[in-house]
């Protein structure tokens, strides 16, 4: 090799550090430290931060005793007993000193202001189930983040298969077992399912779907996936729900991975608990994946928060599927009428006149703001607003049909403040 030719520095050797119970020293308490400390704590490290000041986000860790803070400038004795060091100040001279002191002690040290001068580098990391990903971008952190995001997204969406060939450990809740996953699909918009729900859906052999589950998700399923419409299951001697339970169990016992895709959250008026119980009884492995319930999200998307400081300190979610005077009703309507907070009624379109009447009869103010939101989160969404006294008539006049959510309470009036003003229609052309 001729003189003057320098070879590039070799690539770092990638390793995973087991930091549980080990002393890690973070020098600096600013924005970079704020980003690194949670990962160190998640790995079980015993973290000491040395810095004259720390960001407010780190303070609760100090108060709770999850990190130790030395409120002063760095001193080389800070590195005593450490396994790993991060030099994260915005002062290059201090960071250089920390790296040198760590080097003298043969402790690996990251340097935030100039990664090439540290003896360790922090990769962009991600995790999906049991799989961890660490990416170094060849000196370009943005490239590392972009690659990391691409890999994690691919795993989440099922484009990159992370399933082991052997059956996974049962305690890993995020890896699908053969069996049943009862998945909450959210209020209807395909984007409002959880990440876990979507990933499990991508692995399904069979999807048993409700009318209110986000139908647009079905378009993404691979051609071999069997889609069963729960409403159309042949019942024979079964009740509808028994037929669904039997269908889940049967497919799972045949070795298929079944996703039971439901609207909203499976455990909010969704009979998800009955389905889970049926699987448990049959000895079928079953997991529940919570969903974004329509009870909260549909009003929210329509500009109605369920609580608001000074307006409502309580919100009650009630089923209106039975008339208030139905002997089978478990709802204390007179009690609800005395409530000052927010009332969220599901399945209440047909009984709305009787429900409003019983609330008024037991003392709720007729002028209480009320709203009905039909098809929340979907392109067909409609909102009818009024007062408790007038809402049943207004909903009927507007032809509101299920699925719809009724909200009663002062929070309904916040809509005007929370929704952007309507865009004025363009002036008609010449
Ligand atoms: N488990 C579901 C609720 C099932 S009960 C959840 O957590 O959301 C069915 C009722 O939910 C409907 O009658 C209606 O009151 C409400 N609902 C579900 N999706 C809705 C939507 N997109 N818009 C309005 N109401 C909805």
């Amino acid at each position: 090799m001729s003189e003057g030719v320098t070879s590039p520095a070799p690539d770092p050797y990638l390793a995973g550090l087991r930091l549980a119970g080990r002393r890690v020293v973070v020098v600096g308490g600013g924005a970079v430290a704020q980003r690194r400390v949670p990962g160190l704590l998640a790995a079980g490290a015993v973290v000491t931060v040395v810095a004259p000041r720390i960001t407010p986000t780190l303070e609760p860790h100090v108060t709770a005793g999850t990190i130790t803070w030395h409120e002063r400038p760095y001193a080389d004795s800070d590195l005593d007993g450490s396994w790993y060091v991060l030099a994260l100040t915005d002062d290059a001279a201090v960071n250089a000193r920390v790296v040198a002191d760590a080097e003298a002690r043969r402790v690996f040290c990251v340097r935030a202001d100039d990664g090439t001068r540290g003896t360790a580098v922090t990769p962009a990391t991600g995790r999906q189930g049991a799989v961890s990903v660490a990416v170094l971008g060849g000196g370009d952190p943005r490239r590392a983040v972009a690659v990391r995001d691409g890999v994690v997204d691919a795993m989440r969406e099922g484009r990159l298969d992370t399933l082991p060939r052997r059956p996974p450990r049962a305690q890993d809740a995020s890896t699908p077992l053969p069996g049943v996953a009862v998945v909450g699909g959210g209020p209807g918009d395909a984007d409002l399912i959880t990440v876990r729900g979507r990933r499990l859906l991508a692995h399904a052999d069979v999807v048993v779907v409700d009318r209110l589950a986000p139908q647009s998700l079905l378009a993404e399923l691979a051609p071999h996936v069997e889609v069963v419409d729960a409403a159309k299951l042949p019942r024979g001697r079964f009740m509808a729900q028994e037929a669904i339970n039997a269908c889940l169990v049967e497919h799972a016992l045949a070795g298929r991975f079944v996703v039971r895709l439901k609207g909203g959250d499976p455990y909010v008026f969704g009979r998800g608990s009955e389905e889970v119980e049926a699987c448990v009884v049959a000895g079928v492995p079953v997991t529940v994946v919570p969903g974004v319930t329509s009870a909260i999200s549909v009003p929210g998307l329509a500009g109605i928060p369920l609580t608001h400081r000074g307006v409502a300190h309580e919100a009650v979610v009630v089923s209106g599927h039975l008339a208030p005077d139905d002997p089978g009703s478990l709802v204390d309507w007179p009690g609800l009428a005395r409530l000052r907070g927010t009332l969220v009624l599901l399945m209440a379109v047909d009984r709305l006149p009787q429900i409003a009447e019983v609330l008024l009869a037991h003392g709720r103010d007729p002028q209480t703001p009320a709203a009905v939101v039909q098809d929340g989160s979907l392109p067909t969404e409609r909102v009818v607003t009024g007062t408790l006294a007038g809402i049943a008539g207004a909903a009927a006049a507007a032809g509101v049909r299920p699925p719809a959510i009724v909200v009663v309470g002062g929070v309904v009036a916040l809509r005007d403040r929370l929704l952007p003003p309507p865009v004025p229609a363009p002036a008609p052309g010449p």
Side-chain angles (χ1 to χ4, degrees):
M1 227 190 275
S2 62
E3 258 187 28
V5 176
T6 54
S7 55
D11 287 335
Y13 178 79
L14 282 169
L17 303 184
R18 293 203 195 281
L19 293 177
R22 304 205 154 118
R23 177 174 162 84
V24 171
V25 177
V26 175
V27 183
V32 186
Q34 178 181 323
R35 288 213 304 275
R36 297 285 174 258
V37 164
L40 295 168
L41 291 176
V46 179
V47 176
T48 296
V49 175
V50 182
R53 280 172 306 281
I54 59 172
T55 68
T57 324
L58 288 173
E59 275 164 18
H61 289 298
V62 177
T63 317
T66 42
I67 65 175
T68 304
W69 176 27
H70 295 313
E71 189 177 351
R72 54 165 171 74
Y74 164 74
D76 64 352
S77 60
D78 286 326
L79 305 192
D80 290 350
S82 61
W83 286 75
Y84 195 57
V85 177
L86 295 89
L88 309 181
T89 76
D90 50 14
D91 183 331
V94 172
N95 288 348
R97 242 180 80 207
V98 176
V99 172
D101 292 344
E103 172 98 30
R105 289 168 155 83
R106 303 194 173 206
V107 178
F108 285 105
C109 179
V110 167
R111 181 169 164 178
D113 60 319
D114 183 353
T116 61
R117 288 172 187 262
T119 49
V121 269
T122 308
T125 58
R127 194 180 165 87
Q128 182 56 45
V131 178
S132 301
V133 185
V135 180
L136 296 178
D140 180 351
R142 277 168 310 181
R143 178 155 54 157
V145 166
V147 173
R148 185 267 322 267
D149 288 347
V151 174
V152 171
D153 282 351
M155 288 195 292
R156 282 186 181 153
E157 290 158 18
R159 284 182 282 122
L160 188 64
D161 203 345
T162 58
L163 290 186
R165 302 276 170 244
R166 285 174 294 111
R169 284 169 299 137
Q171 64 266 31
D172 183 357
S174 57
T175 310
L177 295 162
V180 175
V182 179
V183 174
D189 184 333
D191 271 7
L192 291 174
I193 190 173
T194 64
V195 170
R196 183 181 292 177
R198 192 167 195 135
R199 194 173 64 84
L200 293 183
L201 195 61
H203 287 291
D205 302 309
V206 181
V207 178
V208 182
V209 65
D210 269 348
R211 220 80 2 111
L212 283 182
Q215 305 296 315
S216 46
L217 286 170
L218 302 178
E220 295 174 10
L221 297 173
H224 71 274
V225 178
E226 185 181 343
V227 177
V228 179
D229 182 343
K232 292 197 189 135
L233 276 174
R235 299 191 199 170
R237 59 196 168 81
F238 287 143
M239 304 278 286
Q241 187 61 51
E242 287 174 339
I244 295 170
N245 298 353
C247 167
L248 300 177
V249 167
E250 239 169 65
H251 280 296
L253 289 179
R256 300 177 194 119
F257 178 54
V258 184
V259 167
R260 170 71 175 117
L261 185 63
K262 304 178 72 75
D265 180 274
Y267 283 1
V268 179
F269 301 130
R271 305 191 72 166
S273 36
E274 294 170 48
E275 294 165 4
V276 167
E277 190 179 9
C279 292
V280 170
V281 167
V284 166
V286 59
T287 53
V288 63
V289 180
V292 174
T293 179
S294 65
I296 297 174
S297 61
V298 164
L301 291 167
I304 306 169
L306 293 201
T307 69
H308 188 81
R309 192 163 54 88
V311 178
H313 289 179
E314 62 201 341
V316 182
V317 179
V318 184
S319 166
H321 79 291
L322 294 179
D325 59 0
D326 190 300
S329 173
L330 300 176
V331 181
D332 175 8
W333 291 105
L336 292 178
R338 285 191 295 273
L339 209 79
R340 280 189 296 173
T342 310
L343 214 53
V344 182
L345 309 170
L346 275 66
M347 299 178 277
V349 172
D350 294 336
R351 314 276 178 201
L352 192 49
Q354 296 101 300
I355 289 172
E357 197 181 297
V358 74
L359 292 174
L360 294 171
H362 288 90
R364 189 95 201 220
D365 182 348
Q367 294 309 312
T368 309
V372 184
V373 188
Q374 177 185 329
D375 294 345
S377 85
L378 297 170
T380 47
E381 176 178 305
R382 294 203 292 155
V383 185
V384 176
T385 54
T387 60
L388 177 56
I391 195 67
V400 168
R401 293 308 311 148
I405 298 238
V406 182
V407 189
V408 178
V411 289
V412 172
L414 295 166
R415 232 180 142 240
D416 298 335
R417 283 155 57 185
L418 298 182
L419 287 186
V423 182

